[in-house]
Amino acid sequence: MASQEESSQPSDTLTTLKTESETLKTKLEEERAKLHDVELHQVAEKIEALGQFVIKNRRTLKGHGNKVLCMDWCKDKRRIVSSSQDGKVIVWDAFTTNKEHAVTMPCTWVMACAYAPSGCAVACGGLDNKCSVYPLSLDKNENLAAKKKSVAMHTNYLSACCFTNSDMQILTSSGDGTCALWDVESGQMLQSFHGHAADVLCLDLAPSETGNTFVSGGCDKKACVWDMRTGQCIQSFETHESDINSVRYYPSGDAFASGSDDATCRLYDLRADREVAIYSKESIIFGASSVDFSFSGRLLFGGYNDYTINVWDVLKGTRMSILFGHENRVSTLRVSPDGTAFCSGSWDNTLRIWA
Amino acid sequence: MSGSSNIVAMKKVVQQLRFEANINRVKVSQAAAELQQFCIQNALQDPLLTGVSSSTNPFRTQKVCSFL
């Protein structure tokens, strides 16, 4: 193989490689198709349909002056961090709706925020191309911005960030097409993940029992599963017809869901290595911006650009419910750590808690 | 030379595709059965699914809204 680099016709080699790549792509599809013996919803025909359940808007968090772009729950199941277009990052007590901390970032469009596992810090970033960590002080008068620590540096906007299993490492995704793993203390990049052909918009860490992997989704319509230790892409899925705005692991870690601008959400099983369900309706024509599973994985909540939240039966593939309440696009949605509620954030400047 | 960097990039694509083509896969029927099994096993612990009552779900207790 080494001799080919010295050979006289680079275009021949390129053609050979392109042909090989097309052959491999076909082979990949054939291998996947061989195992496609049934649809998920067919397997699910035998189980009972879900009864009516009531999910309502129980709390509305008002205080952001502009579009809410991202939110995350604290492990204590009651605190929430949210970030907005006007550069504000707010920590709320979702039970009481009180604001506990507020930070003003030096940039607008804070597209990503995350709560540290300890509950003692939050990370955020956006158009500043960085991810910064702010330790949360018990002293309400303390200026949080003074203790800010810049951790990640990308060459384009930060689209998502997530602490790993400790406060010590952060995973980021960016408009520069890469993801990266950083050491919080030193700010050093520990691993980078290359493979997306366009902006990476979202990521999710596999549940801890499943090991060191994460999934990312991007403007190249691809979802990729990565090995955090080696930086290698271990599986990739390209069935969406537009940008993937959100990815979230199924609670067992064996599958993940995605939400896309193509107005569908999809479920990909990692062991079957293929898409196993599409959640869509002809009447849903606006993109899905954010998805998350209920505790058992039976329900998939999707926030959409038509201001609604659709609740899907993951196994049967049917829509159970539509939730109205937001007055503009739903931009972010996460189920609480113990599954008792979920929170949605919107371009209507509010966050809502549903239970 | 842009020609050779294209080749390097294509080689990476081909390597990646070879890797992905060779992974072990299970049948959809088996994978689907396991997803379903997980749902069923955890259904009772899923508060949003079972509709936990007001007494145990902190978000459902009646609270006075505070206006900000």
Side-chain angles (χ1 to χ4, degrees):
Chain A
M1 278 306 252
S3 62
Q4 281 186 335
E5 303 235 357
E6 272 119 41
S7 79
S8 51
Q9 314 285 0
S11 57
D12 283 346
T13 314
L14 200 58
T15 316
T16 318
L17 286 171
K18 280 188 177 162
T19 314
E20 192 179 354
S21 114
E22 290 309 311
T23 313
L24 283 168
K25 280 185 190 167
T26 311
K27 181 185 175 198
L28 192 55
E29 285 319 303
E30 282 171 1
E31 292 298 316
R32 283 172 167 166
K34 278 182 199 168
L35 298 164
H36 188 197
D37 51 348
V38 79
E39 298 291 340
L40 174 61
H41 63 83
Q42 289 171 307
V43 170
E45 263 160 28
K46 303 172 218 139
I47 59 173
E48 267 177 51
L50 293 173
Q52 276 287 22
F53 51 83
V54 174
I55 290 184
K56 284 190 198 165
N57 181 357
R58 305 284 174 178
R59 301 279 192 284
T60 302
L61 306 180
K62 294 188 191 186
H64 274 295
N66 213 317
K67 307 178 172 69
V68 175
L69 302 176
C70 188
M71 58 81 42
D72 190 19
W73 287 89
C74 178
K75 283 199 154 69
D76 71 2
K77 310 161 233 169
R78 76 184 271 172
R79 283 175 180 77
I80 281 178
V81 62
S82 61
S83 64
S84 118
Q85 183 193 348
D86 64 1
K88 291 268 193 323
V89 174
I90 298 180
V91 175
W92 314 76
D93 176 336
F95 288 179
T96 62
T97 75
N98 290 334
K99 297 200 270 298
E100 295 199 340
H101 297 94
V103 170
T104 305
M105 292 277 285
C107 67
T108 56
W109 288 89
V110 187
M111 292 172 246
C113 63
Y115 229 115
S118 67
C120 298
V122 292
C124 50
L127 285 187
D128 58 352
N129 299 358
K130 293 193 245 182
C131 184
S132 306
V133 175
Y134 291 84
L136 294 176
S137 165
L138 291 173
D139 176 1
K140 302 276 158 93
N141 293 324
E142 186 162 358
N143 181 7
L144 288 186
K147 296 230 162 131
K148 162 177 156 179
K149 200 178 181 48
S150 270
V151 174
M153 282 286 304
H154 277 280
T155 54
N156 209 325
Y157 63 89
L158 188 83
S159 54
C161 63
C162 170
F163 283 87
T164 60
N165 299 322
S166 76
D167 285 19
M168 298 288 88
Q169 292 182 355
I170 286 189
L171 200 51
T172 58
S173 64
S174 166
D176 66 14
T178 71
C179 300
L181 181 65
W182 309 82
D183 176 85
V184 173
E185 193 54 49
S186 63
Q188 201 168 18
M189 184 193 286
L190 300 170
Q191 188 59 262
S192 68
F193 305 90
H194 298 258
H196 277 287
D199 305 22
V200 186
L201 297 179
C202 51
L203 58 81
D204 192 34
L205 201 55
S208 36
E209 314 78 54
T210 335
N212 292 344
T213 60
F214 74 94
V215 60
S216 64
C219 291
D220 56 358
K221 314 174 200 169
K222 248 184 2 179
C224 296
V225 180
W226 307 88
D227 180 324
M228 279 168 68
R229 279 168 294 206
T230 62
Q232 171 152 43
C233 168
I234 45 187
Q235 283 172 276
S236 68
F237 305 90
E238 212 168 340
T239 62
H240 270 294
E241 294 166 16
S242 187
D243 299 1
I244 297 179
N245 298 313
S246 174
V247 286
R248 195 74 70 212
Y249 270 94
Y250 187 78
S252 70
D254 291 327
F256 68 91
S258 57
S260 161
D261 275 350
D262 68 7
T264 71
C265 297
R266 296 177 197 232
L267 185 70
Y268 297 90
D269 187 289
L270 295 174
R271 287 144 327 138
D273 186 41
R274 62 173 297 120
E275 174 192 294
V276 292
I278 306 185
Y279 308 101
S280 66
K281 273 182 108 65
E282 269 183 39
S283 53
I284 301 176
I285 56 172
F286 285 83
S289 63
S290 46
V291 294
D292 204 355
F293 287 99
S294 70
F295 182 83
S296 65
R298 183 67 191 270
L299 299 175
L300 181 70
F301 300 102
Y304 289 73
N305 292 340
D306 64 2
Y307 314 176
T308 68
I309 294 168
N310 286 301
V311 185
W312 301 91
D313 178 330
V314 169
L315 302 178
K316 291 189 185 276
T318 51
R319 179 176 59 188
M320 297 304 302
S321 191
I322 317 180
L323 301 174
F324 298 98
H326 278 297
E327 294 165 11
N328 206 319
R329 299 192 177 191
V330 178
S331 51
T332 180
L333 187 158
R334 306 257 350 211
V335 172
S336 73
D338 60 355
T340 47
F342 71 90
C343 178
S344 57
S346 162
W347 281 18
D348 70 6
N349 307 356
T350 69
L351 292 120
R352 286 169 204 255
I353 312 282
W354 308 79
Chain B
M1 261 179 68
S2 64
S4 57
S5 67
N6 277 348
I7 291 178
V8 168
M10 274 310 291
K11 274 191 182 168
K12 282 193 184 154
V13 168
V14 167
Q15 259 174 352
Q16 179 64 27
L17 283 168
R18 273 198 206 127
F19 176 86
E20 289 184 29
N22 287 332
I23 66 170
N24 288 326
R25 294 178 186 82
V26 309
K27 285 191 187 170
V28 175
S29 51
Q30 184 189 335
E34 288 177 32
L35 289 177
Q36 188 170 294
Q37 179 73 341
F38 184 89
C39 275
I40 293 173
Q41 275 172 347
N42 290 285
L44 291 177
Q45 279 91 45
D46 186 341
L48 288 169
L49 195 59
T50 58
V52 173
S53 70
S54 312
S55 51
T56 38
N57 186 331
F59 288 106
R60 288 191 180 187
T61 47
Q62 296 306 313
K63 293 219 83 180
V64 175
C65 290
S66 52
F67 288 98
L68 300 164

